[in-house]
Amino acid sequence: MKVQGKPYRTIWLADDGRTVRIIDQTKLPFAFEVVDLKSLADAARAIAGMWVRGAPLIGATAAYGMALAMNGDSSDAGLDGAYQTLMATRPTAVNLRWALDDMKALLAPLPAGERAGLAYARAAEIADEDVEICSSIGEHGKGLIERAFEKKGSGPVNLLTHCNAGWLATVDWGTALAPIYKAFDAGIPVHVWVDETRPRNQGASLTAWELGQHGVPHTLIVDNVGGHLMQHGQVDLCITGTDRTAASGDVCNKIGTYLKALAAHDNGVPFYVALPGPTIDWTITDGVRDIPIEQRDAGEVTRLTGVDENGRVGAFSIAPAGTPAANYAFDVTPARLVTGLITERGVAEASTEGLKALYPEHA
Ligand code: MRU
């Protein structure tokens, strides 16, 4: 997608063919900064510190992290160490494990001297595949928006999304936002309600920024507004992303997604979740019980980062000093609340049968 008219992906290789480049998402929307990753430690820091975030981008960065590691120490011990280090960065997005398992399976049987070259090649493939997958998700999801538009008779189609599942969360296009970009580009009138997404405000800082860069009409709302809008017929469709989808169709996504799904269900608003195949954890059948939920620093709840009228970026407290705070980063929406799963292979019912029909290799 474009930033100030210039096309970007969220991760790419520098001209030396070894340095990995990313956009530091902790600086957005106040500054657009590109950062060089030169080592395994850099890649692990970028994922854990959320310079890169979003399930598919975490996976792609982990793949490049393995390549950076092989560029330094391509021994068996180096390979195992890199796998463990990257696996420990964040617990919930399963794309991390998917990418690391893929890389390890490819690299482990090879002589150490051949590992780095192939690791870079496979990481680039994973990144390219993600772009294709997200583009296909966009095409399939566009059909849903098109139908909502036809049903409504006059536009715009009002969509609600939570967190950031746009191009910044993937290598390009996004998952939940890909259908919106494709519909907008096709001339279908759309308007997006953007949940701010406390505590880290990925909606306010990232989704609002990228929709604005693309010219998609949107309105930022605080997290508690969605139910009210749905009661008053102001949401035609919800689309969110997911960090891990159980084989049963339960979806784990940014904290607060479940409450939106409940409100959508109560108001008869279709609630879709967009995901790439690597986000499905075929080993888990009960998402609520078995998906690990990341708990992060309480400071993300008690403090906010913003910019003042002089352009100075800073953090400030919003609670009495020493207030105990809990910071659960994700929740699970049971399959029964999900209208459909938008994948690169089409729209599936959120159920074991629905997923297996689209991915028969896992049946
Ligand atoms: O904590 P984050 O910012 O990594 O969480 C991101 C999300 O919850 C996204 O909705 C999810 O990763 C899907 S991204 C296409």
Side-chain angles (χ1 to χ4, degrees):
M1 305 296 279
K2 290 185 180 156
V3 179
Q4 310 285 352
K6 184 176 169 201
Y8 275 93
R9 284 185 174 187
T10 53
I11 189 161
W12 66 98
L13 265 191
D15 288 344
D16 65 7
R18 286 291 179 261
T19 305
V20 177
R21 296 220 152 117
I22 57 157
I23 299 161
D24 180 354
Q25 298 190 22
T26 63
K27 299 278 170 33
L28 287 170
F30 313 119
F32 182 81
E33 285 181 17
V34 172
V35 172
D36 284 353
L37 308 181
K38 290 181 175 291
S39 65
L40 166 65
D42 288 351
R45 199 176 312 120
I47 299 171
M50 293 180 66
W51 302 359
V52 290
R53 25 68 53 205
L57 180 56
I58 290 171
T61 309
Y64 272 118
M66 291 291 274
L68 287 165
M70 293 303 94
N71 201 31
D73 173 6
S74 61
S75 67
D76 286 354
L79 183 60
D80 284 346
Y83 181 93
Q84 300 301 341
T85 301
L86 290 162
M87 189 66 101
T89 50
R90 291 193 74 189
T92 301
V94 77
N95 308 55
L96 177 70
R97 186 183 79 199
W98 172 84
L100 291 175
D101 285 347
D102 181 291
M103 295 294 285
K104 197 171 175 192
L106 170 79
L107 301 175
L110 298 175
E114 290 177 21
R115 284 176 177 161
L118 270 155
Y120 275 100
R122 179 62 190 140
E125 245 171 49
I126 286 176
D128 287 346
E129 281 166 15
D130 183 64
V131 178
E132 268 175 46
I133 285 174
C134 288
S135 175
S136 297
I137 289 172
E139 292 299 334
H140 291 298
K142 182 181 88 177
L144 298 172
I145 299 174
E146 217 160 18
R147 282 196 286 284
F149 178 57
E150 284 160 10
K151 190 171 154 205
K152 209 173 170 185
S154 62
V157 178
N158 285 306
L159 299 121
L160 182 141
T161 193
H162 192 69
C163 194
N164 173 261
W167 73 272
L168 289 169
T170 63
V171 178
D172 207 351
W173 283 111
T175 56
L177 295 194
I180 297 174
Y181 287 128
K182 297 261 180 181
F184 175 80
D185 290 350
I188 300 166
V190 291
H191 164 262
V192 187
W193 297 110
V194 178
D195 281 355
E196 64 172 344
T197 319
R198 278 283 285 147
R200 287 184 66 99
N201 288 330
Q202 289 96 327
S205 58
L206 304 177
T207 300
W209 180 79
E210 58 165 275
L211 289 174
Q213 289 288 327
H214 201 78
V216 179
H218 61 281
T219 306
L220 179 64
I221 50 176
V222 298
D223 289 330
N224 298 327
V225 172
H228 168 77
L229 292 174
M230 291 183 213
Q231 281 176 326
H232 290 272
Q234 296 203 58
V235 182
D236 298 307
L237 215 63
C238 299
I239 312 183
T240 74
T242 165
D243 285 79
R244 193 184 295 222
T245 306
S248 55
D250 298 339
V251 288
C252 179
N253 192 49
K254 182 54 57 191
I255 193 77
T257 303
Y258 172 44
L259 293 179
K260 290 299 139 67
L262 283 171
H265 190 254
D266 196 41
N267 289 283
V269 174
F271 188 92
Y272 285 94
V273 176
L275 60 118
T279 302
I280 305 167
D281 186 343
W282 296 99
T283 69
I284 285 182
T285 50
D286 183 335
V288 177
R289 191 189 59 201
D290 293 333
I291 296 179
I293 301 295
E294 178 177 18
Q295 290 189 53
R296 298 184 57 84
D297 194 296
E300 291 181 354
V301 176
T302 56
R303 293 172 73 75
L304 278 178
T305 299
V307 65
D308 70 15
E309 60 278 9
N310 300 313
R312 274 191 303 259
V313 177
F316 50 89
S317 292
I318 56 164
T323 299
N327 188 2
Y328 293 91
F330 297 95
D331 61 24
V332 175
T333 300
R336 68 188 159 79
L337 298 176
V338 179
T339 311
L341 301 171
I342 310 169
T343 77
E344 71 275 18
R345 297 191 187 176
V347 181
E349 184 187 273
S351 65
T352 309
E353 298 69 37
L355 280 173
K356 285 191 174 165
L358 280 191
Y359 298 90
E361 67 273 30
H362 293 281

